[in-house]
């Protein structure tokens, strides 16, 4: 049977709530890396961040709505269902098995791309079993501007890639036009009743879900 090559991305986050910048980043990764699929993975219990403000069931539902217009996006519940801290090394193992079982023909060569921000790249060596993650995935690093992490001089990019390559980490980049949107800003705007602002920041289906379920009205940003 002929081996078929596929490119598959993984994009994790709390998605509390998912917003237009999340969607735009996945769309940019699909276009830049020619991805056949992207697993969007809402966090269960974050291992590196404070706990999510909203129940996992709501975040999972909102993510499915937010990415419903991206044909390549597959919102996966592996971290939501798993007990204990959400570790990417465990998620990659679960996603690899799912993808292998779902793909025909069975003998398929898959190139995996973990989509992260530049701020996450700077902390990558603190991730549990980061060497195993690097062995399985390319790190697809998005430029997201000063608001989301340190800026990167394009002239320094080859040095950064070479530095990580020396550690066995394959880094590729995803050019991404910064959007001044964050989940915390959305939550804060909802609390302050700035409806005209936050409703422009999230997909319409997510806006309706938040309103119907009265999310974030009493939660701290």
């Amino acid at each position: 049977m002929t081996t078929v090559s596929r490119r598959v991305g993984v994009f994790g986050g709390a998605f509390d709530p998912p917003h237009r910048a999340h969607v735009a980043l996945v769309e940019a990764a699909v276009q830049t890396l020619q991805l056949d699929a992207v697993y969007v993975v809402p966090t269960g219990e974050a291992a590196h961040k404070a706990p999510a403000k909203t129940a996992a069931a709501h975040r999972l539902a909102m993510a499915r709505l937010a990415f419903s217009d991206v044909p390549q996006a597959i919102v996966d519940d592996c971290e939501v269902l798993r007990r204990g801290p959400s570790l990417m090394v465990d998620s990659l193992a679960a996603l690899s098995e799912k993808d292998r079982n779902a793909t025909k023909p069975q003998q398929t060569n898959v190139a995996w791309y973990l989509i992260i921000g530049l701020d996450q790249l700077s902390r990558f060596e603190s991730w549990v079993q980061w060497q195993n993650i690097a062995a399985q995935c390319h790190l697809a690093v998005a430029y997201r501007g000063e608001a989301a992490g340190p800026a990167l001089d394009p002239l320094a990019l080859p040095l950064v890639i070479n530095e990580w390559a020396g550690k066995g980490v394959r880094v590729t980049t995803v050019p991404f036009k910064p959007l001044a949107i964050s989940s915390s800003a959305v939550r804060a705007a909802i609390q302050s009743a700035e409806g005209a602002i936050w409703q422009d920041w999230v997909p319409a289906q997510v806006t309706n879900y938040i309103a119907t379920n009265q999310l974030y009205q009493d939660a701290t940003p």
Side-chain angles (χ1 to χ4, degrees):
M1 186 176 294
T2 303
T3 298
V4 178
S5 296
R6 296 173 65 243
R7 291 171 170 245
V8 179
V10 179
F11 182 44
F15 303 115
D16 194 14
H19 49 69
R20 294 190 184 278
H22 290 138
V23 178
L25 175 52
V26 168
E27 290 175 333
V30 168
Q31 182 177 5
T32 300
L33 303 174
Q34 296 297 295
L35 300 178
D36 297 288
V38 179
Y39 286 100
V40 178
V41 186
T43 304
E45 296 180 24
H48 298 281
K49 294 183 178 180
K53 310 293 182 181
T54 310
H58 283 311
R59 294 185 289 105
L60 184 64
M62 287 189 288
R64 285 172 172 158
L65 293 172
F67 292 94
S68 61
D69 291 332
V70 182
Q72 298 84 356
I74 305 168
V75 178
D76 191 90
D77 60 3
C78 66
E79 291 194 2
V80 170
L81 296 179
R82 186 188 311 130
R83 292 185 177 182
S86 295
L87 301 178
M88 182 53 67
V89 67
D90 295 332
S91 298
L92 286 173
L95 293 172
S96 295
E97 182 176 0
K98 286 184 180 182
D99 194 75
R100 185 167 53 250
N101 292 337
T103 302
K104 294 182 181 181
Q106 295 297 319
Q107 294 180 352
T108 302
N109 179 32
V110 180
W112 289 86
Y113 292 82
L114 179 59
I115 303 167
I116 62 175
L118 189 60
D119 53 330
Q120 293 171 302
L121 177 63
S122 67
R123 301 191 300 267
F124 182 63
E125 288 176 290
S126 70
W127 291 25
V128 175
Q129 296 187 40
W130 67 269
Q131 296 96 333
N132 290 339
I133 296 173
Q136 184 172 349
C137 292
H138 298 259
L139 299 188
V141 181
Y143 296 92
R144 295 189 298 170
E146 291 283 0
L152 178 62
D153 182 350
L155 297 177
L157 183 57
L159 297 177
V160 172
I161 293 176
N162 288 338
E163 179 182 353
W164 283 103
K167 302 175 183 179
V169 180
R170 296 163 294 173
V171 174
T172 188
T173 56
V174 178
F176 176 58
K177 183 177 180 180
L179 297 176
I181 306 173
S182 68
S183 294
S184 59
V186 174
R187 296 194 300 267
I190 293 172
Q191 283 190 290
S192 61
E194 297 179 7
I197 295 178
W198 76 265
Q199 290 180 20
D200 291 338
W201 293 345
V202 301
Q205 294 166 298
V206 177
T207 298
N208 294 335
Y209 187 94
I210 290 172
T212 299
N213 292 276
Q214 299 183 327
L215 299 181
Y216 308 115
Q217 295 183 9
D218 299 322
T220 57

